């Protein structure tokens, strides 16, 4: 008889585990406390505008091979716009288009970096040296150094720090440079920019996230026999001896299973676990994982303020602009209002700032960059802050991330916070779900690799930078 797997948490980690295990004949029940799937990558209804908006724009990169695999498996891959050209705008207002030349990695972006209008020749030399040194660095020998210290040791100019390293890393890792571990910074640059030509390309969902992780995904999973129960908050996992036997819902109902996957955020995991596991050092260490906030400002204008689909904004409070109206027009959605989303990662500096002031500051920046915004009427705006958006990639934080195999044999952990080698991303979440599913398969006597290989590193990158 096929085994029953109970998965607690309908974020991408739980969804990836559900997809892969149901495809291999397990009877999967997915329990999600909220009314919608998607977890931290989800949407909600903005009552004033009457539209479904994302808690924050999510993007994926070319190097996110498992997330892409998951989207392909579930039929979601066509819901993304792939950007092979990124628009970087400094305070000089010039739109710098970052795109590859025909050179192989790691040289494919050298010309684009070399032409950034807001870096001078001294900055460019420092940057080229810094990138090469970072690729050749062995972070395990750095004894907990933070990335700002590493940058200073490698003579990076103020401009490269503020207008390049900060720009890329704060959006990729949602942390400030003084809190980022060198290993995680290196991973971003190697995987996304240096090892493969396509690692940096950006995939942006055309539709709100709920239209991806909502009905299309539910339909796919249900076709594979997954029983999806939203609004089904789990109060605790019930153990009998050294086995978990059931997930007890908040309404008292008990969902029995043979194998369990706990895929809730790290700060909730301990509260659902049987006492002896909650007390184990692997789980206690989770409390030491810190978190970082991400904010997004949503603005609706009566007219277009820019024809760009997106922009990376340098030396501003606003970090990324996404032209949601333009993205949705690509899938035939028409809206007389023009909707833009501004993302501010690692947004601690907004703490204590009145919402109206933050929105006004962002609005003013848009007017400075795109003068058409001054003539436009701002119809509606709102600020959304996810205070515990991601775990912080501080030096040593990897030590606090448990493996997927929990101390109880028939219980797996899944979530971006488990040991995946990745920061808190959709890729990390999907990887964790696949790793948890691999363990379930192994326990069932049918070991199979589900985690997808990374992009193959270019030969020149391996030779020039010593990448293995
Ligand atoms: C504002 C913001 C912006 C981000 N931007 C990006 C981005 O651009 N690119 C990117 O790759 N990543 C981004 N991320 C990170 C990404 O969203 C997460 O890493 C990923 O979605 C985590 O998935 P998960 O399944 O591990 O956890 P979660 O998504 O947190 O899923 C856990 C699920 O468990 C459920 N749950 C909790 N308690 C219970 C219970 N008792 N019973 C049942 N269910 C329960 C929760 O409701 C939730 O649905 C962003 C995150 C945020 C918050």
């Amino acid at each position: 008889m096929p085994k029953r797997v109970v998965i607690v948490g309908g974020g991408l980690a739980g969804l990836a585990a559900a997809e892969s295990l149901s495809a291999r004949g397990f009877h999967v029940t997915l329990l999600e406390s909220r009314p919608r799937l998607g977890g931290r990558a989800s949407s909600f209804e903005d009552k004033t505008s009457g539209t479904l908006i994302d808690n924050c724009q999510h993007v994926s990169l070319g190097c996110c091979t498992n997330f892409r695999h998951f989207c392909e498996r579930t039929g979601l891959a066509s819901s993304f716009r792939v950007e092979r050209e990124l628009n970087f705008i400094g305070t000089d207002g010039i739109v710098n288009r970052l795109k590859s030349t025909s050179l192989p990695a790691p040289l494919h972006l050298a010309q684009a970096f070399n032409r950034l209008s807001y870096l001078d020749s001294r900055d460019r030399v420092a940057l080229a040296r810094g990138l090469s040194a970072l690729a050749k660095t062995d972070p395990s020998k750095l004894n907990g150094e933070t990335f700002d210290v590493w940058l200073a040791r490698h003579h990076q100019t103020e401009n490269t720090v503020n207008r390049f390293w900060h720009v890329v890393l704060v959006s990729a890792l949602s942390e400030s440079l003084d809190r980022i571990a060198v290993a995680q910074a290196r991973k971003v640059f190697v995987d996304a920019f240096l090892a493969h030509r396509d690692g940096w390309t950006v995939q942006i969902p055309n539709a709100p996230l709920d239209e991806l992780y909502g009905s299309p995904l539910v339909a796919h999973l249900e076709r594979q026999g997954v029983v999806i129960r939203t609004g089904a908050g789990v109060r605790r996992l019930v153990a009998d001896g050294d086995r978990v036997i059931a997930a007890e819902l908040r309404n008292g109902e008990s969902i029995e299973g043979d194998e369990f996957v706990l895929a809730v955020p790290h700060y909730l995991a301990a509260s659902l676990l049987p006492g002896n596991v909650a007390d184990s050092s692997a789980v206690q260490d989770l409390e030491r994982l810190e978190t970082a906030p991400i904010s997004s400002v949503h603005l609706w204008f009566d007219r277009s303020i820019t024809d760009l689909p997106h922009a990376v904004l340098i030396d501003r409070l606003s970090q990324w602009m996404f032209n949601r109206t333009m993205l949705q027009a690509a899938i035939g959605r028409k809206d007389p209002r023009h909707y833009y989303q501004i993302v501010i990662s690692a947004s601690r500096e907004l703490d204590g700032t009145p919402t109206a002031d933050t929105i006004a500051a962002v609005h003013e920046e848009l007017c400075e960059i795109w003068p058409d915004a001054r003539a436009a009427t701002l119809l509606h705006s709102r600020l959304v802050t996810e205070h515990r958006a991601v775990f912080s990639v501080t030096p040593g934080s990897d030590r606090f991330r448990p493996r997927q195999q929990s101390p109880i044999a028939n219980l797996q952990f899944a979530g971006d916070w488990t040991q995946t080698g990745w920061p808190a991303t959709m890729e990390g979440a999907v990887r964790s779900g696949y790793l948890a599913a691999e363990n379930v398969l192994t326990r069932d006597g049918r070991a199979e690799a589900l985690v997808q290989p990374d992009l193959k590193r270019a030969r020149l990158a391996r030779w020039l930078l010593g990448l293995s």
Side-chain angles (χ1 to χ4, degrees), residues 289-307:
L289 269 185
E290 296 174 49
T291 56
I294 302 180
S295 300
S296 52
V297 178
H298 305 247
L299 306 113
W300 287 261
F301 291 95
D302 66 339
R303 69 196 77 175
S304 166
I305 65 164
T306 171
D307 291 337

Side-chain angles (χ1 to χ4, degrees), residues 388-441:
R388 293 192 282 191
V390 294
F391 67 82
S392 292
V393 286
T394 50
S397 54
D398 268 351
R399 285 203 309 274
F400 310 136
R401 299 171 69 183
R403 291 184 171 281
Q404 288 71 33
Q405 178 60 66
S406 84
I408 293 188
N410 73 333
L411 172 65
Q412 308 299 324
F413 295 140
D416 56 3
W417 46 275
T418 58
Q419 281 287 344
T420 65
W422 278 70
T425 48
M426 298 187 288
E427 169 71 10
V430 170
R431 273 181 188 244
S432 76
Y434 286 174
L435 287 164
E438 282 182 4
N439 290 348
V440 174
L441 281 165

Side-chain angles (χ1 to χ4, degrees), residues 11 14 27 53 181 220 265 288 322 369 380 423:
H27 278 174
I53 65 170
H220 173 88
R288 300 170 72 181
F322 294 96
I369 301 165
H380 171 49

Side-chain angles (χ1 to χ4, degrees), residues 433-466:
Y434 286 174
L435 287 164
E438 282 182 4
N439 290 348
V440 174
L441 281 165
T442 303
R443 283 176 43 72
D444 199 41
R446 1 180 209 152
E448 182 185 340
L450 301 178
V451 172
Q452 301 301 300
D454 291 336
L455 293 179
K456 195 161 181 264
R457 295 182 164 181
R459 193 179 304 176
L460 186 64
R462 284 186 277 143
W463 180 68
L464 273 182
L465 302 173

Side-chain angles (χ1 to χ4, degrees), residues 91-334:
T91 45
D92 56 10
I94 295 170
V95 180
N96 296 267
R97 299 194 196 280
L98 189 88
K99 63 176 183 181
S100 300
T101 58
S102 55
L103 291 174
L107 304 177
H108 57 305
L109 290 172
Q111 189 184 74
F113 288 157
N114 220 19
R115 288 186 177 165
L116 291 172
S117 64
Y118 45 83
L119 297 183
D120 63 25
S121 52
R122 208 177 126 246
D123 300 326
R124 290 176 195 149
V125 172
L127 178 56
R129 289 192 176 141
L131 282 168
S132 167
L134 183 60
K136 292 173 186 163
T137 288
D138 177 355
S140 66
K141 301 204 171 116
L142 294 180
N143 206 14
E145 191 169 71
T146 51
F147 197 54
D148 60 334
V149 175
W150 187 94
L151 288 170
R153 267 203 310 116
H154 289 81
H155 314 293
Q156 294 301 293
T157 60
E158 198 180 327
N159 274 346
T160 54
V161 172
N162 295 333
R163 298 176 172 179
F164 183 81
W165 299 104
H166 166 91
V167 171
V168 173
L169 289 174
V170 171
S171 27
L173 300 173
S174 195
E175 256 309 351
S176 48
L177 299 180
D178 59 341
R179 290 175 53 82
I180 291 175
V182 177
Q184 291 289 359
R186 180 179 180 276
K187 179 168 180 56
V188 170
F189 283 99
V190 169
D191 289 4
F193 292 106
L194 299 172
H196 190 283
R197 288 176 54 77
D198 294 333
W200 65 281
T201 56
V202 173
Q203 278 109 54
I204 311 176
N206 284 321
L209 290 167
D210 190 61
E211 290 184 28
L212 274 67
Y213 309 138
S215 3
L217 193 50
V218 168
H220 173 88
L221 292 175
E222 286 182 343
R223 271 196 302 277
Q224 288 189 179
V226 179
V227 175
I228 299 174
R229 295 191 51 185
T230 50
V234 170
R235 186 189 297 150
R236 65 182 184 118
L237 294 176
V238 182
D240 182 11
D242 58 359
R243 289 178 58 76
V244 175
I245 53 167
E248 183 185 295
L249 302 190
R250 289 178 193 143
N251 67 6
E253 197 183 339
S254 189
I255 313 291
E256 292 177 1
D258 304 304
E259 300 286 330
F260 291 79
V261 178
L262 185 61
V264 299
H266 74 271
Y267 47 84
L268 295 178
S271 64
L272 303 184
L273 288 165
N276 56 336
V277 188
D279 293 341
S280 68
S281 61
V283 175
Q284 292 285 308
D285 273 352
L286 282 176
E287 279 180 20
R288 300 170 72 181
L289 269 185
E290 296 174 49
T291 56
I294 302 180
S295 300
S296 52
V297 178
H298 305 247
L299 306 113
W300 287 261
F301 291 95
D302 66 339
R303 69 196 77 175
S304 166
I305 65 164
T306 171
D307 291 337
L308 294 177
H310 71 268
V312 185
L313 308 174
I314 314 296
D315 282 337
R316 306 270 185 190
L317 169 67
S318 314
Q319 295 163 359
W320 275 78
M321 177 284 292
F322 294 96
N323 186 337
R324 290 298 315 164
T325 296
M326 188 181 257
L327 288 161
Q328 297 194 179
I331 49 168
R333 302 281 164 83
K334 292 219 165 59

